[in-house]
Amino acid sequence: MAYNQNIAKSRRAPAAPQERVVEEQIPVKSAVGTVTNVYQACIAGFWRNVTVQWFKNLMNISFDITVDGIDGETSQTCKQKGYKSFQIDAGRQQQQQSSSGDHNSHQLEIYWDLRTAKFASGPEPCSDYYLALVSDEEIALLLGDNKKKAYKRTKKRPALVEAVQSLKKEVVYAKKSFSTRARFAEGRGEHDIVVESSITGGPREPEMWISVDGIVLVHVKNLQWKFRGNETVIVNKQPIQVFWDVHAWLFAAPGSGYGLFIFKPGAPEAESDKDDSSRGSDSSSGSLFYSTASQSKAPDFCLFLNAWKID
């Protein structure tokens, strides 16, 4: 099930957009960025993937929410589009969800208030907003810092088990400096992540810097020979694995490929640990929709950054 809300930034109401921002198809100069966040939330007694996507182009900012059904099915799609001049929209929507794997259909509600939301460079708001997904008289997923306003408006109770973020993917466009934010551990604050490069095509060798909270943790010289690699860095006493692949920056035609960066909390696993974990797994079906009583630990988080270079 997917919900969509578009947020206009111009007094002149444009025609309702039909596209999603897809980095492989949208011309680089016409796209600004997308953010995709995946959470595991308890809905109707099962852990399900909830995907929240934020989109931004030259005309507007928009978002949509997709709730996976049992066995990965998405039962139906419901999109709402609204525009307000110089005002971020606020609203509510409800929808029945049912699929062949569900014993009973159940109602989902979404509430949002982005009227005073503050944005950084990307499409995802950073403060003064809330976005709430309600199921079975409780808020299964609550985003934003205006939590008190969300509880007051929805009149619903907090979830017994909080939703956990498992993945963030951001698509960014810039000349030399690419930035994003991520939380590597639940209950801790977000970190500012910046990737900078020096690829001039002149006599100077290309270089790349990756910094977290203003501290350079990865410095790659001779990037033309080290365009793929990985390092493990320490952020607040926590190991973070950093992977990069910037082959397209150096050898592809401009605008035809992006640099890929992956940030994964935790130290690298030894081969013996991987074998033990695979033998000890009891989820051979691969389904993500298991009972809340069966969850033993939070899912591993991973950040993907797709960095498109523009002229």
Side-chain angles (χ1 to χ4, degrees):
M1 176 180 304
Y3 303 86
N4 178 274
Q5 177 67 32
N6 282 276
I7 306 160
K9 299 178 69 179
S10 170
R11 181 175 297 277
R12 183 179 175 184
Q18 299 297 321
E19 84 285 353
R20 280 191 177 186
V21 178
V22 181
E23 64 270 19
E24 288 82 3
Q25 299 177 3
I26 301 297
V28 170
K29 292 185 178 180
S30 66
V32 179
T34 66
V35 175
T36 301
N37 295 305
V38 179
Y39 304 87
Q40 288 195 11
C42 176
I43 298 176
F46 288 87
W47 289 99
R48 305 174 191 245
N49 280 347
V50 179
T51 303
V52 181
Q53 293 181 296
W54 302 88
F55 307 93
K56 181 180 180 181
N57 56 34
L58 298 178
M59 296 297 296
N60 62 70
I61 296 173
S62 61
F63 71 84
D64 68 38
I65 297 180
T66 301
V67 181
D68 287 351
I70 299 297
D71 296 328
E73 295 181 357
T74 299
S75 58
Q76 56 185 330
T77 298
C78 179
K79 294 185 177 182
Q80 177 176 335
K81 302 172 183 178
Y83 300 91
K84 288 192 177 182
S85 301
F86 298 101
Q87 183 177 349
I88 301 302
D89 201 14
R92 169 181 177 267
Q93 188 176 90
Q94 64 183 43
Q95 185 74 32
Q96 287 289 121
Q97 185 190 41
S98 61
S99 63
S100 58
D102 285 317
H103 296 293
N104 298 293
S105 64
H106 54 279
Q107 180 173 282
L108 299 176
E109 296 177 288
I110 176 174
Y111 297 79
W112 66 92
D113 189 347
L114 304 170
R115 290 173 293 184
T116 60
K118 292 181 175 59
F119 295 82
S121 57
E124 184 179 22
C126 55
S127 64
D128 296 342
Y129 79 102
Y130 68 78
L131 181 62
L133 178 67
V134 174
S135 171
D136 296 333
E137 296 300 315
E138 68 178 25
I139 299 181
L141 176 66
L142 178 57
L143 306 180
D145 54 348
N146 285 345
K147 299 184 186 300
K148 291 183 178 179
K149 292 183 179 180
Y151 287 120
K152 181 178 180 180
R153 184 179 179 207
T154 62
K155 297 180 174 60
K156 309 298 182 183
R157 65 179 181 269
L160 296 177
V161 184
E162 291 188 2
V164 179
Q165 185 173 10
S166 59
L167 179 144
K168 177 177 181 177
K169 176 183 176 182
E170 183 162 4
V171 181
V172 294
Y173 300 82
K175 292 184 178 180
K176 297 192 300 182
S177 180
F178 307 87
S179 61
T180 184
R181 294 175 60 85
R183 179 179 290 105
F184 294 128
E186 289 297 319
R188 297 187 180 181
E190 287 190 323
H191 298 279
D192 293 310
I193 301 169
V194 178
V195 177
E196 296 179 283
S197 65
S198 175
I199 303 176
T200 61
R204 183 177 176 180
E205 298 288 348
E207 297 179 74
M208 181 179 69
W209 301 263
I210 302 176
S211 63
V212 178
D213 296 332
I215 302 173
V216 176
L217 299 179
V218 177
H219 181 197
V220 183
K221 298 181 179 180
N222 300 316
L223 194 59
Q224 74 275 26
W225 304 112
K226 303 175 183 178
F227 49 83
R228 295 189 184 100
N230 65 281
E231 288 189 22
T232 299
V233 301
I234 303 298
V235 178
N236 289 347
K237 300 181 181 181
Q238 180 185 15
I240 306 294
Q241 299 175 64
V242 181
F243 305 83
W244 67 87
D245 182 347
V246 294
H247 181 274
W249 284 3
L250 296 153
F251 305 109
S256 63
Y258 55 85
L260 173 63
F261 300 86
I262 303 174
F263 299 82
K264 181 176 176 59
E269 292 185 32
E271 290 299 324
S272 58
D273 295 336
K274 294 179 182 179
D275 294 339
D276 292 341
S277 62
S278 62
R279 286 195 295 268
S281 175
D282 60 357
S283 57
S284 57
S285 65
S287 174
L288 294 174
F289 309 100
Y290 45 87
S291 169
T292 55
S294 67
Q295 187 185 36
S296 60
K297 67 174 185 177
D300 294 332
F301 172 78
C302 201
L303 167 67
F304 293 83
L305 179 66
N306 292 6
W308 288 83
K309 273 187 169 292
I310 58 178
D311 296 332

